[in-house]
Amino acid sequence: MATLFTKIINREIPATIVYETDNVLAFKDINPAAPVHILIVPKKEIPTVNDITPEDKEIIGDMYLAIGKIAKDLGIDQEGYRVITNCNEYGGQEVFHLHFHLLGGKKLGPLIS
Ligand code: AMP
């Protein structure tokens, strides 16, 4: 079933898109947890980290390349930032379409809560 993020990829619902390639889309999180909060998603529907296969290696690589590019474009690459992926219930995943949270723009607190 198409997730919310597939609808954003297909422009069926709006989002503030900051980066796009053949494999990847990145857009602002609707409920930001930091001054910079970008979601990086593969255009391929991969529900969770558990579902990544060897044939997805290029896509996952493109997602990390996107993170570096976006961080540089937003001017947070040198001060630093955090990248998080939630998986399933204990990880707190809400949208079952793989995504990386890029968080920055301030000094972040401890990771685990
Ligand atoms: P996760 O808990 O890792 O699955 O994160 C899902 C993220 O999607 C949350 O940080 C939400 O704020 C974000 N989100 C939900 N709906 C939208 C939307 N329409 N546009 C942008 N971000 C969204």
Side-chain angles (χ1 to χ4, degrees):
M1 195 184 102
T3 68
L4 181 64
F5 291 170
T6 295
K7 290 180 181 160
I8 289 175
I9 291 163
N10 293 336
R11 288 5 187 222
E12 290 164 17
I13 62 172
T16 304
I17 293 167
V18 298
Y19 179 89
E20 181 168 23
T21 65
D22 286 349
N23 284 335
V24 177
L25 190 75
F27 50 91
K28 291 187 178 178
D29 195 293
I30 205 167
N31 185 21
V36 173
H37 189 168
I38 306 293
L39 299 175
I40 295 93
V41 311
K43 290 186 175 174
K44 179 179 176 183
E45 288 182 328
I46 302 171
T48 78
V49 171
N50 294 334
D51 302 300
I52 297 170
T53 67
E55 73 182 28
D56 298 325
K57 278 193 286 191
E58 184 178 340
I59 293 173
I60 304 304
D62 285 355
M63 291 173 75
Y64 270 101
L65 289 170
I67 289 167
K69 173 86 169 59
I70 294 162
K72 193 168 182 194
D73 288 350
L74 297 179
I76 62 166
D77 54 323
Q78 294 307 309
E79 64 196 25
Y81 54 89
R82 183 173 290 161
V83 178
I84 293 175
T85 301
N86 299 322
C87 182
N88 281 340
E89 184 186 352
Y90 278 20
Q93 184 173 5
E94 291 175 354
V95 178
F96 287 83
H97 184 131
L98 182 68
H99 52 282
F100 297 156
H101 296 255
L102 166 57
L103 297 155
K106 70 171 186 181
K107 193 163 171 54
L108 299 168
L111 181 59
I112 307 298
S113 66

